[in-house]
Amino acid sequence: MRSRQQGWRKKPLAPQTAGANGRSVFGTFRLTRRPLRLPATRIASATTSKAASVPGPPPPAPSSLSPEDDQFLHDLEHANFLFFWEQGNPETGLIKDRCNVRTNDTSLAASIASSGFGLTAICIGLMRGFVSYEDAHTRVLKSLSFLWHKLPTHRGFFYHFANINTGERIWDSEVSSVDTAMLLCGALTCKQYFKDKAIGDLAHAIFDRVDWTWLSEDTTLLSHGWTPEMGFIHSRWDDYSELMMMYLLGMGSASHPLVPDTWNAWKREIFEYDGLRYVGSFAPLFVHQYSQAWFDFRGKKDRYTDYFHNSTIATDVHRRFCLELNEQFPSYSNALWGITASDSAKGYVVWGGPPAMGPIDGSVVPAAAGGSLPFLPAATMRVLHTIHDHYPQAWCRYGFVDAFNPVTDWYDTDVIGIDTGITMLMAENARSSFVWDTFMKNPEAQRGMENAGFKPYEAPSSL
């Protein structure tokens, strides 16, 4: 009998509308700049407004988690929160891309994606009592003020990497479309949670400044980004991935909206593994997680699928895939699995499956299970308990290190902001739905999903 890995196969494309035919060739883009200014009344309120009210207590944990599991996730989230609080500059609000937890890390590279997760982490931290209201409010207000007034942008989009102290672009990084989307999700979460005029005005202005029409001027498939040296990056967001948050935010914009056809332009390839069929792509597990940290797809579907249930299937497929690797890497088991883009003993790698991609070497990436907590609570909790209880070197002040290899006894020295972030946000969503419930109150999020054609329906039961 063929193994599941050998039996993996890709199904033909589901029927798509016009425009969903792969990568586009760049045309000529007009780089005109429109003046974008925050109205004077908003500038004043951003510096003088006081908090209207303190957010309420945390919601109760759902019955699907045991008290022991809930306490474990509480402790994990507190550790994750410390990364975003301690490794962020309190004046700029920018948060490090990564941190070496074995040394006194003095690196200066912040990422806007990490900063977006961090803004959401502050909301969780306040709700869970990890930080005082005064400190959280001050940090968020300074962060959003820096984003609006000082952090360099192009057409409202931010550079991927910046100096944590000055905001200066580093490493000739690109103006990133999807990383900007993660930052916007964090800002919008703060807007809804704090219900504070100053914070709300700044978050609204930052969001409205983003010119999605510039990014889609001659195409319905958005570019990965732009640099002043080379112009638009030729790679397009054309396959199912973390792109969903970006397209939905663009379609929810009131100032520079994407047309609804952009939702139908990207490909949704059907994969089959071990008898399970799902929308996927040749990419690591995180593509099934990131958009769903903020957007709540539960009980909803568009013309194509139920993306929450789809991610549940994809996560279980990945679990089965890892179990098939047990003969090659004996440490993989039902209690220890999970591979997604991460550090490795040989540097950062993009790996996972099925089908197998990257130089898989027996490493385990805690964020693979952590970022999938709402999809498969019991299976992922089993993994996180195993790592915590049996591999103490994989644990640090900020939670789990980014990766480790139980076969070679290698343990990473670093935590990475986006992996720590997806773990924290999905842990809280599994516990209380807090991030989903808060973020989805934004009219931008609601409008985006409405324009994409999402409708409520009776969702299938979990696996």
Side-chain angles (χ1 to χ4, degrees), residues 364-388:
V364 174
V365 186
S372 299
L373 278 162
F375 307 132
L376 292 177
T380 52
M381 283 301 309
R382 186 184 305 117
V383 171
L384 297 181
H385 279 300
T386 298
I387 299 173
H388 181 270

Side-chain angles (χ1 to χ4, degrees), residues 68 82 85 111 119 176 199 226 257 261 301 339 378 389 413 422:
E68 294 76 17
L82 290 177
W85 192 259
S111 83
L119 286 169
S176 174
I199 288 174
W226 175 93
D261 282 347
K301 66 184 302 184
I339 317 163
D389 296 345
T413 61
I422 193 63

